[in-house]
Amino acid sequence: MTSKTQDNDINVEGQCGLKEELNRKIKEQKVAVDELSNLKKNRKVYIQQRNSNIFFLADRSQTLGSCKKELDNMKKELQDM
């Protein structure tokens, strides 16, 4: 094999790995959306501060909306690949 062919093989394998990772994240996000959708109206929701173990009380409907937006963005990114 030539070097160019090997580079293409590595690039294809890398994209497959990225797609698998993105599919896994999409599945996780779908579960989060379903869980938030099925919560009772009076339940409390907490969101985790990025890069820390601190959680803050959040509005359920706003959290659900942001999770749906993030899911849509991930789906678009997967389609672009």
Side-chain angles (χ1 to χ4, degrees):
M1 257 197 253
T2 65
S3 175
K4 192 172 187 179
T5 305
Q6 288 174 345
D7 289 344
N8 287 339
D9 290 343
I10 291 170
N11 192 20
V12 169
E13 289 175 6
Q15 283 184 341
C16 287
L18 290 175
K19 282 185 179 181
E20 289 174 6
E21 179 70 18
L22 191 54
N23 275 325
R24 185 186 61 78
K25 287 182 180 181
I26 287 172
K27 287 178 185 178
E28 288 177 4
Q29 197 67 20
K30 283 180 181 179
V31 170
V33 168
D34 287 342
E35 290 289 333
L36 287 169
S37 297
N38 292 319
L39 280 179
K40 293 181 182 179
K41 300 290 182 195
N42 62 347
R43 295 301 300 221
K44 293 182 180 180
V45 175
Y46 295 86
I47 56 173
Q48 185 174 8
Q49 183 69 25
R50 290 184 189 250
N51 301 324
S52 76
N53 292 326
I54 300 173
F55 291 83
F56 292 100
L57 186 61
D59 182 62
R60 188 187 64 81
S61 59
Q62 287 179 344
T63 306
L64 178 59
S66 66
C67 283
K68 285 182 179 179
K69 282 182 186 178
E70 193 173 333
L71 179 60
D72 290 340
N73 289 339
M74 285 187 222
K75 286 180 179 178
K76 286 178 187 176
E77 187 178 334
L78 183 63
Q79 288 176 349
D80 292 344
M81 287 183 154

Coordinates of all heavy atoms in Angstrom, one line a residue:
M1 N 0.8 -1.2 0.0 CA 0.0 0.0 0.0 C 0.9 1.2 0.0 O 1.9 1.3 0.6 CB -0.9 0.0 1.3 CG -2.3 -0.4 1.0 SD -3.3 0.1 2.4 CE -3.6 -1.5 3.1
T2 N 0.3 2.3 -0.6 CA 1.1 3.5 -0.6 C 0.7 4.3 0.6 O -0.2 4.0 1.3 CB 0.7 4.4 -1.9 OG1 -0.7 4.7 -1.8 CG2 0.9 3.6 -3.2
S3 N 1.5 5.3 0.8 CA 1.3 6.1 2.0 C 0.0 6.8 1.9 O -0.7 7.0 2.9 CB 2.4 7.1 2.1 OG 2.2 8.0 3.2
K4 N -0.4 7.3 0.7 CA -1.7 8.0 0.6 C -2.9 7.1 0.9 O -3.8 7.5 1.5 CB -1.8 8.5 -0.9 CG -2.9 9.5 -1.1 CD -2.8 10.1 -2.5 CE -3.8 11.3 -2.6 NZ -3.7 11.9 -3.9
T5 N -2.8 5.9 0.4 CA -3.9 4.9 0.7 C -4.0 4.6 2.2 O -5.1 4.5 2.8 CB -3.6 3.6 0.0 OG1 -3.4 3.8 -1.4 CG2 -4.7 2.6 0.1
Q6 N -2.8 4.5 2.9 CA -2.8 4.3 4.3 C -3.4 5.5 5.1 O -4.2 5.3 6.0 CB -1.4 4.0 4.8 CG -0.9 2.7 4.4 CD 0.6 2.5 4.8 OE1 1.3 3.5 5.1 NE2 1.1 1.3 4.7
D7 N -3.1 6.7 4.6 CA -3.7 7.9 5.2 C -5.2 7.9 5.0 O -5.9 8.3 6.0 CB -3.1 9.1 4.6 CG -1.6 9.4 5.0 OD1 -1.2 8.7 6.0 OD2 -1.0 10.2 4.4
N8 N -5.7 7.5 3.9 CA -7.1 7.5 3.6 C -7.8 6.4 4.5 O -8.9 6.7 5.0 CB -7.4 7.2 2.1 CG -7.1 8.4 1.2 OD1 -7.1 9.5 1.7 ND2 -7.0 8.1 0.0
D9 N -7.2 5.3 4.7 CA -7.7 4.2 5.6 C -7.8 4.7 7.0 O -8.8 4.5 7.7 CB -6.9 3.0 5.5 CG -7.0 2.2 4.2 OD1 -7.9 2.5 3.4 OD2 -6.1 1.4 3.9
I10 N -6.8 5.4 7.5 CA -6.8 5.9 8.8 C -7.9 7.0 9.0 O -8.6 7.0 10.0 CB -5.4 6.5 9.2 CG1 -4.4 5.4 9.3 CG2 -5.5 7.3 10.5 CD1 -3.0 5.8 9.4
N11 N -8.0 7.8 7.9 CA -9.1 8.9 8.0 C -10.5 8.3 8.0 O -11.3 8.7 8.8 CB -8.9 9.8 6.8 CG -9.7 11.0 6.9 OD1 -10.1 11.4 8.0 ND2 -10.0 11.7 5.8
V12 N -10.7 7.2 7.3 CA -12.0 6.6 7.3 C -12.3 5.9 8.6 O -13.4 6.0 9.2 CB -12.1 5.5 6.1 CG1 -13.3 4.6 6.3 CG2 -12.1 6.2 4.8
E13 N -11.3 5.2 9.2 CA -11.4 4.6 10.5 C -11.7 5.7 11.6 O -12.5 5.5 12.5 CB -10.2 3.8 10.9 CG -10.0 2.6 10.1 CD -8.7 1.9 10.4 OE1 -8.0 2.3 11.3 OE2 -8.4 0.9 9.7
G14 N -11.0 6.8 11.5 CA -11.3 7.9 12.4 C -12.7 8.5 12.3 O -13.3 8.7 13.3
Q15 N -13.2 8.6 11.1 CA -14.6 9.1 10.9 C -15.6 8.1 11.5 O -16.6 8.4 12.1 CB -14.9 9.3 9.5 CG -14.3 10.6 9.0 CD -14.7 10.9 7.5 OE1 -15.1 10.1 6.8 NE2 -14.5 12.2 7.1
C16 N -15.3 6.8 11.3 CA -16.2 5.7 11.8 C -16.2 5.8 13.4 O -17.3 5.7 14.0 CB -15.8 4.3 11.4 SG -16.1 4.0 9.7
G17 N -15.1 6.0 14.0 CA -15.0 6.2 15.4 C -15.8 7.4 15.9 O -16.5 7.4 16.9
L18 N -15.7 8.5 15.1 CA -16.4 9.7 15.5 C -17.9 9.5 15.4 O -18.7 10.0 16.2 CB -16.0 10.9 14.6 CG -14.5 11.4 14.8 CD1 -14.2 12.5 13.8 CD2 -14.4 12.0 16.2
K19 N -18.3 8.8 14.3 CA -19.7 8.6 14.1 C -20.3 7.7 15.2 O -21.4 7.9 15.7 CB -20.0 7.9 12.8 CG -19.9 8.8 11.6 CD -20.3 8.1 10.3 CE -20.3 9.0 9.1 NZ -20.7 8.4 7.9
E20 N -19.5 6.7 15.6 CA -20.0 5.8 16.7 C -20.1 6.6 18.0 O -21.1 6.4 18.8 CB -19.0 4.7 16.9 CG -19.0 3.6 15.8 CD -17.9 2.6 16.0 OE1 -17.2 2.6 17.0 OE2 -17.8 1.8 15.0
E21 N -19.1 7.5 18.3 CA -19.2 8.3 19.5 C -20.4 9.3 19.4 O -21.1 9.4 20.4 CB -17.9 9.1 19.6 CG -17.8 10.0 20.8 CD -17.7 9.3 22.1 OE1 -17.3 8.1 22.1 OE2 -17.9 9.9 23.2
L22 N -20.6 9.8 18.3 CA -21.7 10.8 18.1 C -23.1 10.0 18.3 O -24.0 10.5 18.9 CB -21.7 11.5 16.8 CG -22.6 12.6 16.6 CD1 -22.5 13.7 17.7 CD2 -22.4 13.3 15.2
N23 N -23.2 8.8 17.7 CA -24.4 8.0 17.9 C -24.6 7.7 19.4 O -25.8 7.7 19.8 CB -24.3 6.7 17.1 CG -24.7 6.9 15.7 OD1 -25.6 7.6 15.4 ND2 -24.0 6.1 14.8
R24 N -23.6 7.4 20.1 CA -23.7 7.1 21.5 C -24.2 8.3 22.3 O -25.1 8.2 23.1 CB -22.3 6.6 22.1 CG -22.4 6.2 23.6 CD -21.0 5.9 24.1 NE -20.1 7.0 24.1 CZ -20.2 8.1 25.0 NH1 -21.1 8.1 26.0 NH2 -19.3 9.0 25.0
K25 N -23.6 9.5 21.9 CA -24.1 10.7 22.6 C -25.5 11.0 22.3 O -26.3 11.5 23.1 CB -23.2 11.9 22.2 CG -21.8 11.8 22.8 CD -21.0 13.0 22.5 CE -19.6 13.0 23.1 NZ -18.8 14.1 22.8
I26 N -25.9 10.8 21.0 CA -27.3 11.0 20.6 C -28.3 10.1 21.4 O -29.3 10.6 21.9 CB -27.5 10.8 19.1 CG1 -26.8 11.9 18.3 CG2 -29.0 10.7 18.7 CD1 -26.8 11.7 16.8
K27 N -27.9 8.9 21.6 CA -28.7 7.9 22.4 C -28.9 8.4 23.8 O -30.0 8.4 24.4 CB -28.1 6.5 22.4 CG -28.3 5.8 21.0 CD -27.7 4.4 21.1 CE -27.8 3.8 19.7 NZ -27.1 2.5 19.7
E28 N -27.8 8.9 24.4 CA -27.8 9.4 25.8 C -28.7 10.6 25.8 O -29.5 10.8 26.8 CB -26.4 9.8 26.2 CG -25.5 8.6 26.5 CD -24.1 9.1 26.9 OE1 -23.8 10.3 27.0 OE2 -23.2 8.2 27.1
Q29 N -28.6 11.5 24.8 CA -29.4 12.7 24.8 C -30.9 12.4 24.7 O -31.7 13.0 25.3 CB -28.9 13.7 23.7 CG -29.4 15.1 23.9 CD -28.8 15.8 25.1 OE1 -27.8 15.4 25.6 NE2 -29.4 16.8 25.5
K30 N -31.2 11.4 23.9 CA -32.6 11.0 23.7 C -33.2 10.5 25.0 O -34.3 10.8 25.4 CB -32.7 9.9 22.7 CG -32.6 10.3 21.2 CD -32.8 9.2 20.3 CE -32.6 9.6 18.9 NZ -32.8 8.4 17.9
V31 N -32.4 9.8 25.8 CA -32.8 9.3 27.1 C -33.1 10.5 28.0 O -34.1 10.5 28.7 CB -31.8 8.3 27.7 CG1 -32.1 8.0 29.2 CG2 -31.7 7.0 26.9
A32 N -32.2 11.5 28.0 CA -32.4 12.6 28.9 C -33.6 13.4 28.5 O -34.4 13.8 29.4 CB -31.1 13.5 28.7
V33 N -33.9 13.6 27.2 CA -35.1 14.2 26.8 C -36.3 13.5 27.2 O -37.3 14.1 27.7 CB -35.1 14.5 25.2 CG1 -36.4 14.9 24.7 CG2 -34.0 15.5 24.8
D34 N -36.3 12.2 27.0 CA -37.5 11.3 27.4 C -37.7 11.4 28.9 O -38.9 11.6 29.4 CB -37.3 9.9 27.0 CG -37.4 9.7 25.5 OD1 -38.0 10.5 24.9 OD2 -37.0 8.6 25.1
E35 N -36.6 11.4 29.7 CA -36.8 11.5 31.2 C -37.4 12.8 31.6 O -38.2 12.9 32.4 CB -35.4 11.3 31.8 CG -34.9 9.9 31.8 CD -35.7 8.9 32.6 OE1 -36.2 9.3 33.6 OE2 -35.7 7.7 32.3
L36 N -36.9 13.9 31.0 CA -37.4 15.2 31.3 C -38.8 15.4 30.9 O -39.6 16.1 31.5 CB -36.5 16.3 30.7 CG -35.1 16.5 31.3 CD1 -34.2 17.4 30.5 CD2 -35.3 17.1 32.7
S37 N -39.2 14.8 29.7 CA -40.5 14.9 29.2 C -41.5 14.2 30.1 O -42.7 14.6 30.2 CB -40.6 14.3 27.8 OG -39.8 15.0 26.9
N38 N -41.1 13.2 30.8 CA -42.0 12.3 31.6 C -42.1 12.7 33.1 O -42.8 12.1 33.8 CB -41.7 10.9 31.4 CG -42.0 10.4 30.0 OD1 -43.0 10.7 29.4 ND2 -41.1 9.6 29.5
L39 N -41.3 13.8 33.4 CA -41.3 14.2 34.8 C -42.6 14.9 35.2 O -43.2 15.6 34.3 CB -40.2 15.2 35.1 CG -38.8 14.6 35.3 CD1 -37.8 15.8 35.5 CD2 -38.8 13.7 36.5
K40 N -43.1 14.8 36.4 CA -44.2 15.5 36.9 C -43.9 17.0 36.9 O -42.7 17.4 37.1 CB -44.7 15.1 38.2 CG -45.2 13.7 38.3 CD -45.6 13.3 39.7 CE -46.1 11.8 39.7 NZ -46.5 11.4 41.1
K41 N -44.9 17.8 36.8 CA -44.6 19.3 36.7 C -44.0 19.9 37.9 O -43.2 20.8 37.8 CB -46.0 20.0 36.5 CG -46.7 19.6 35.2 CD -46.0 20.1 34.0 CE -46.8 19.7 32.7 NZ -46.0 19.8 31.5
N42 N -44.2 19.3 39.1 CA -43.7 19.8 40.3 C -42.3 19.3 40.7 O -41.8 19.6 41.8 CB -44.7 19.6 41.5 CG -44.9 18.1 41.7 OD1 -44.6 17.3 40.9 ND2 -45.6 17.9 42.8
R43 N -41.7 18.4 39.9 CA -40.4 17.8 40.2 C -39.3 18.9 40.0 O -39.4 19.7 39.1 CB -40.1 16.6 39.4 CG -41.1 15.4 39.6 CD -41.1 15.0 41.0 NE -39.7 14.5 41.4 CZ -39.5 13.5 42.1 NH1 -40.4 12.7 42.5 NH2 -38.2 13.1 42.3
K44 N -38.3 18.8 40.8 CA -37.1 19.7 40.7 C -36.1 19.0 39.7 O -35.9 17.8 39.7 CB -36.5 19.9 42.0 CG -37.4 20.7 42.9 CD -36.8 21.0 44.3 CE -37.7 21.8 45.1 NZ -37.1 22.1 46.4
V45 N -35.4 19.9 39.0 CA -34.4 19.5 38.0 C -33.1 20.2 38.4 O -33.2 21.4 38.6 CB -34.8 19.8 36.6 CG1 -33.7 19.4 35.6 CG2 -36.1 19.0 36.2
Y46 N -32.0 19.5 38.4 CA -30.7 20.1 38.6 C -29.8 19.9 37.4 O -29.9 18.9 36.8 CB -30.1 19.5 39.9 CG -30.8 19.8 41.1 CD1 -31.9 19.0 41.5 CD2 -30.5 20.9 41.9 CE1 -32.6 19.2 42.7 CE2 -31.2 21.1 43.1 CZ -32.2 20.3 43.5 OH -32.9 20.6 44.6
I47 N -29.0 20.9 37.1 CA -28.1 20.8 36.0 C -26.7 20.9 36.6 O -26.4 21.6 37.6 CB -28.3 21.8 34.9 CG1 -28.2 23.2 35.4 CG2 -29.5 21.6 34.1 CD1 -28.2 24.3 34.4
Q48 N -25.7 20.2 36.0 CA -24.4 20.1 36.5 C -23.6 21.2 35.9 O -23.6 21.5 34.7 CB -23.7 18.8 36.2 CG -22.3 18.6 36.8 CD -21.8 17.2 36.6 OE1 -22.3 16.4 35.9 NE2 -20.6 17.0 37.2
Q49 N -22.8 21.9 36.7 CA -21.9 23.0 36.2 C -20.8 22.3 35.4 O -20.3 21.2 35.8 CB -21.3 23.7 37.4 CG -20.4 24.9 37.0 CD -21.1 26.0 36.4 OE1 -22.3 26.2 36.6 NE2 -20.4 26.8 35.6
R50 N -20.5 22.8 34.3 CA -19.4 22.2 33.5 C -18.1 22.1 34.2 O -17.7 23.0 35.0 CB -19.2 23.0 32.2 CG -20.3 22.9 31.2 CD -20.0 23.7 29.9 NE -21.1 23.8 29.1 CZ -21.3 23.1 28.0 NH1 -20.3 22.4 27.5 NH2 -22.4 23.3 27.2
N51 N -17.4 21.0 34.0 CA -16.1 20.7 34.6 C -16.1 20.8 36.1 O -15.1 21.2 36.7 CB -15.1 21.7 34.0 CG -15.0 21.6 32.5 OD1 -15.1 20.5 32.0 ND2 -14.8 22.7 31.8
S52 N -17.2 20.5 36.7 CA -17.2 20.4 38.2 C -18.3 19.4 38.7 O -19.0 18.9 37.9 CB -17.4 21.8 38.8 OG -18.8 22.1 38.7
N53 N -18.3 19.2 40.0 CA -19.3 18.4 40.6 C -20.4 19.2 41.3 O -21.0 18.7 42.2 CB -18.6 17.4 41.6 CG -17.8 16.4 40.8 OD1 -18.1 16.0 39.7 ND2 -16.7 16.0 41.5
I54 N -20.6 20.4 40.8 CA -21.6 21.3 41.5 C -22.9 21.3 40.6 O -22.8 21.4 39.4 CB -21.1 22.7 41.6 CG1 -19.8 22.7 42.4 CG2 -22.1 23.6 42.2 CD1 -19.1 24.0 42.5
F55 N -24.0 21.1 41.3 CA -25.3 21.1 40.6 C -26.1 22.3 41.0 O -26.1 22.7 42.2 CB -26.1 19.8 40.9 CG -25.5 18.6 40.3 CD1 -24.4 17.9 41.0 CD2 -26.0 18.0 39.2 CE1 -23.8 16.8 40.4 CE2 -25.4 16.9 38.6 CZ -24.3 16.3 39.2
F56 N -26.9 22.9 40.1 CA -27.7 24.0 40.4 C -29.2 23.7 40.0 O -29.4 23.0 39.0 CB -27.3 25.2 39.6 CG -25.9 25.8 40.0 CD1 -24.8 25.4 39.3 CD2 -25.8 26.6 41.1 CE1 -23.6 25.9 39.7 CE2 -24.6 27.0 41.6 CZ -23.5 26.7 40.8
L57 N -30.1 24.2 40.8 CA -31.5 24.1 40.5 C -31.8 24.8 39.2 O -31.4 25.9 39.0 CB -32.4 24.7 41.6 CG -33.9 24.5 41.6 CD1 -34.2 23.0 41.6 CD2 -34.5 25.2 42.8
A58 N -32.6 24.1 38.3 CA -32.9 24.7 37.0 C -34.4 24.5 36.7 O -35.1 23.7 37.3 CB -32.1 24.0 35.9
D59 N -34.9 25.3 35.8 CA -36.3 25.2 35.3 C -36.4 24.0 34.4 O -35.7 23.8 33.5 CB -36.7 26.5 34.6 CG -38.1 26.5 34.2 OD1 -39.0 26.4 35.0 OD2 -38.3 26.5 32.9
R60 N -37.4 23.2 34.7 CA -37.6 21.9 33.9 C -37.9 22.2 32.4 O -37.3 21.6 31.6 CB -38.8 21.1 34.5 CG -38.9 19.7 33.9 CD -40.1 19.0 34.4 NE -41.4 19.7 33.9 CZ -41.9 19.5 32.7 NH1 -41.4 18.8 31.9 NH2 -43.0 20.2 32.4
S61 N -38.7 23.1 32.1 CA -39.1 23.4 30.7 C -37.9 24.0 30.0 O -37.7 23.7 28.8 CB -40.3 24.3 30.6 OG -40.0 25.5 31.3
Q62 N -37.1 24.9 30.6 CA -35.9 25.4 29.9 C -34.9 24.3 29.7 O -34.2 24.3 28.7 CB -35.3 26.5 30.8 CG -36.1 27.8 30.7 CD -35.5 28.9 31.6 OE1 -34.6 28.6 32.4 NE2 -35.9 30.1 31.4
T63 N -34.7 23.5 30.7 CA -33.7 22.4 30.6 C -34.2 21.4 29.5 O -33.3 21.0 28.7 CB -33.6 21.6 31.9 OG1 -33.3 22.5 32.9 CG2 -32.6 20.5 31.8
L64 N -35.4 21.1 29.4 CA -36.0 20.2 28.3 C -35.7 20.9 27.0 O -35.3 20.2 26.0 CB -37.4 20.0 28.5 CG -38.1 19.1 27.5 CD1 -37.5 17.7 27.4 CD2 -39.6 19.0 27.8
G65 N -36.0 22.2 26.8 CA -35.8 22.9 25.6 C -34.3 22.9 25.1 O -34.0 22.6 24.0
S66 N -33.4 23.1 26.1 CA -32.0 23.1 25.7 C -31.5 21.7 25.4 O -30.7 21.5 24.5 CB -31.1 23.7 26.9 OG -31.2 22.9 28.0
C67 N -32.0 20.7 26.0 CA -31.7 19.3 25.7 C -32.2 18.9 24.3 O -31.5 18.3 23.5 CB -32.3 18.3 26.7 SG -31.3 18.3 28.2
K68 N -33.4 19.4 23.9 CA -33.9 19.1 22.6 C -33.1 19.8 21.5 O -32.8 19.3 20.5 CB -35.4 19.6 22.5 CG -36.3 18.6 23.2 CD -37.7 19.1 23.0 CE -38.7 18.2 23.7 NZ -40.1 18.6 23.5
K69 N -32.7 21.1 21.8 CA -31.8 21.8 20.9 C -30.5 21.1 20.7 O -30.0 21.0 19.5 CB -31.6 23.2 21.4 CG -32.7 24.2 21.1 CD -32.3 25.6 21.6 CE -33.5 26.5 21.5 NZ -33.2 27.8 22.0
E70 N -29.9 20.6 21.8 CA -28.6 19.9 21.7 C -28.8 18.6 20.9 O -27.9 18.3 20.1 CB -28.1 19.6 23.1 CG -26.7 19.2 23.1 CD -26.1 19.1 24.5 OE1 -26.6 19.8 25.4 OE2 -25.2 18.3 24.7
L71 N -29.9 17.9 21.1 CA -30.1 16.7 20.3 C -30.3 17.0 18.9 O -29.7 16.3 18.0 CB -31.4 16.0 20.9 CG -31.8 14.7 20.2 CD1 -30.7 13.7 20.3 CD2 -33.1 14.2 20.8
D72 N -31.0 18.1 18.5 CA -31.1 18.4 17.1 C -29.8 18.8 16.5 O -29.5 18.4 15.3 CB -32.1 19.6 17.0 CG -33.5 19.2 17.3 OD1 -33.9 18.0 17.2 OD2 -34.3 20.2 17.6
N73 N -29.0 19.5 17.2 CA -27.6 19.9 16.7 C -26.8 18.6 16.5 O -26.0 18.5 15.5 CB -26.9 20.8 17.7 CG -27.5 22.2 17.7 OD1 -28.2 22.6 16.8 ND2 -27.3 22.9 18.8
M74 N -26.9 17.7 17.4 CA -26.1 16.4 17.2 C -26.6 15.6 16.0 O -25.7 15.1 15.2 CB -26.2 15.5 18.5 CG -25.4 16.0 19.6 SD -25.5 14.8 20.9 CE -25.6 15.8 22.3
K75 N -27.9 15.6 15.8 CA -28.4 14.9 14.6 C -28.0 15.6 13.3 O -27.6 14.9 12.4 CB -29.9 14.9 14.7 CG -30.5 13.9 15.7 CD -32.0 13.9 15.7 CE -32.6 12.9 16.7 NZ -34.1 13.0 16.7
K76 N -28.0 16.9 13.3 CA -27.5 17.6 12.1 C -26.0 17.3 11.9 O -25.6 17.1 10.7 CB -27.7 19.1 12.3 CG -29.1 19.6 12.1 CD -29.3 21.0 12.4 CE -30.8 21.4 12.4 NZ -30.9 22.9 12.7
E77 N -25.2 17.3 12.9 CA -23.8 17.0 12.8 C -23.6 15.6 12.2 O -22.7 15.4 11.4 CB -23.1 17.2 14.2 CG -21.6 17.1 14.1 CD -21.0 17.3 15.5 OE1 -21.6 18.0 16.3 OE2 -19.9 16.8 15.7
L78 N -24.4 14.7 12.7 CA -24.3 13.3 12.2 C -24.6 13.2 10.7 O -24.0 12.5 9.9 CB -25.2 12.4 13.0 CG -25.1 10.9 12.6 CD1 -23.7 10.4 12.9 CD2 -26.1 10.1 13.4
Q79 N -25.6 14.0 10.3 CA -26.0 14.0 8.9 C -25.0 14.6 8.0 O -24.8 14.2 6.9 CB -27.3 14.7 8.7 CG -28.5 13.9 9.2 CD -29.8 14.7 9.1 OE1 -29.8 15.9 8.8 NE2 -31.0 14.1 9.3
D80 N -24.3 15.6 8.5 CA -23.2 16.3 7.8 C -22.0 15.4 7.6 O -21.2 15.6 6.6 CB -22.8 17.6 8.5 CG -23.9 18.6 8.4 OD1 -24.8 18.5 7.6 OD2 -23.8 19.6 9.2
M81 N -21.8 14.4 8.4 CA -20.6 13.5 8.3 C -20.7 12.6 7.1 O -21.6 12.1 6.6 CB -20.4 12.7 9.5 CG -20.0 13.4 10.7 SD -19.7 12.3 12.1 CE -18.5 13.2 13.0

